[in-house]
Amino acid sequence: MTLVQSLPPNLDGPLDTVVVLPEGFSGAEVARVCRETAVQFMNESARWGKPELAMWLAGPYAIATRHVKKEEGPNLLGGTPLIKEIDIRVVDRVIRAARTEVHQALAQVCADQSSAFVLRALIAGTVTRCEDGLREPAWAPVRGASMRLADRVLSLFAVDYLVRPGDYETDLSICASCSSITFDAYARRRDYCSLHAPQPARKGLTVPYPGLPQLEA
Ligand SMILES: [Zn+2]
C-alpha cells in the first residue's frame, strides 16, 4: 500500500471567488475612473468642508468603488459614525490629514519610484484582483465602512498604479507651487503644473513650458 499519495483537490473547501466586473467594464476603465476620482479629491479638497466631502463620498467615490464591498463583522462599539454625525472641525482635520498622507505617498513615488503605498493597499485588502467583463485580470478598489479617508484615496491611486505603473514613473507630478497632482511628463520634469511653470524670459513663447520647441514670433 502506498503511504504517500497525492491528495486530490479539496472540492468541498472554500472556493477562491474572484469578483467579475459587469460586462462592458474593462480594467482600464476602472483605473481611469479611480484616477479621476482620486485626483479630484487631491486637487479640490483644500476648499472642501463637510458637505463637499459627503458629496464626493456619495458620488464619484461611491461610483469608483461600487464593484467590491468589504465584508466587515459587527462592530461592538456601535459601528462607524455617519459623516453627518461628525463635528465639522473634525471633518476639516480628517480631510487635511488625508491629503497630506496621500501627498507623502505620491511624493515618494516621484522621488524614488517607491510604490510602497500600493503594497500596503494590497496587504490591507483595500484593493483586490478581479476579472473584467472579458475575463481578463483587472484590479478594483474595495470599499469598507470603517476605512480611513486616506486609505480610500490611496486605494484608488493603487488600482490606477497597478494598471498603469509607467504613468507614475514618468508622468505623475506634484506642483512645487500649488501641490496639485497632474499626470503630465513635462510637469514632472519641471516640478510645476502648467499654471505655475516658470515663465520664459523671451517674449512670444506660446507654449506653457520652457525647453519645448519654440514657435517663431
Ligand atoms: Zn501649480
Side-chain angles (χ1 to χ4, degrees):
M1 186 178 173
T2 309
L3 293 176
V4 179
Q5 296 176 320
S6 61
L7 294 170
N10 183 4
L11 298 178
D12 297 326
L15 294 172
D16 186 17
T17 52
V18 174
V19 172
V20 179
L21 300 175
E23 203 174 330
F25 274 93
S26 67
E29 174 64 8
V30 173
R32 187 192 66 76
V33 172
C34 283
R35 179 189 294 187
E36 196 176 282
T37 305
V39 168
Q40 183 191 16
F41 175 85
M42 295 304 290
N43 291 353
E44 297 179 17
S45 64
R47 303 182 293 277
W48 288 0
K50 199 163 150 175
E52 291 80 9
L53 176 63
M55 276 192 285
W56 180 82
L57 286 170
Y61 176 76
I63 291 170
T65 58
R66 68 192 180 283
H67 303 298
V68 191
K69 204 159 177 271
K70 195 175 185 179
E71 298 281 336
E72 289 176 308
N75 187 334
L76 298 178
L77 297 176
T80 308
L82 298 171
I83 190 166
K84 65 183 178 188
E85 299 167 353
I86 303 174
D87 186 275
I88 192 164
R89 287 160 301 183
V90 175
V91 173
D92 287 346
R93 275 204 300 276
V94 168
I95 293 175
R96 206 165 43 243
R99 204 171 48 246
T100 301
E101 187 175 331
V102 178
H103 259 132
Q104 285 169 350
L106 297 180
Q108 219 182 345
V109 180
C110 291
D112 57 12
Q113 314 275 304
S114 164
S115 55
F117 83 93
V118 181
L119 189 61
R120 284 197 296 270
L122 285 166
I123 291 169
T126 57
V127 301
T128 188
R129 213 164 53 81
C130 59
E131 288 181 352
D132 68 13
L134 298 170
R135 312 294 292 192
E136 293 291 329
W139 296 93
V142 177
R143 185 174 57 186
S146 58
M147 278 171 68
R148 297 183 318 132
L149 182 58
D151 290 334
R152 292 176 193 270
V153 181
L154 285 168
S155 74
L156 301 176
F157 277 120
V159 166
D160 185 40
Y161 181 98
L162 287 162
V163 175
R164 302 183 275 187
D167 287 6
Y168 286 74
E169 286 156 18
T170 59
D171 297 354
L172 170 63
S173 166
I174 304 174
C175 177
S177 175
C178 68
S179 297
S180 70
I181 305 291
T182 50
F183 285 84
D184 176 338
Y186 292 123
R188 169 70 166 259
R189 272 183 256 150
R190 303 294 186 277
D191 275 338
Y192 289 98
C193 71
S194 58
L195 282 178
H196 297 109
Q199 292 300 310
R202 186 182 165 209
K203 270 189 160 185
L205 187 73
T206 56
V207 289
Y209 300 104
L212 288 175
Q214 296 182 13
L215 300 178
E216 290 304 320

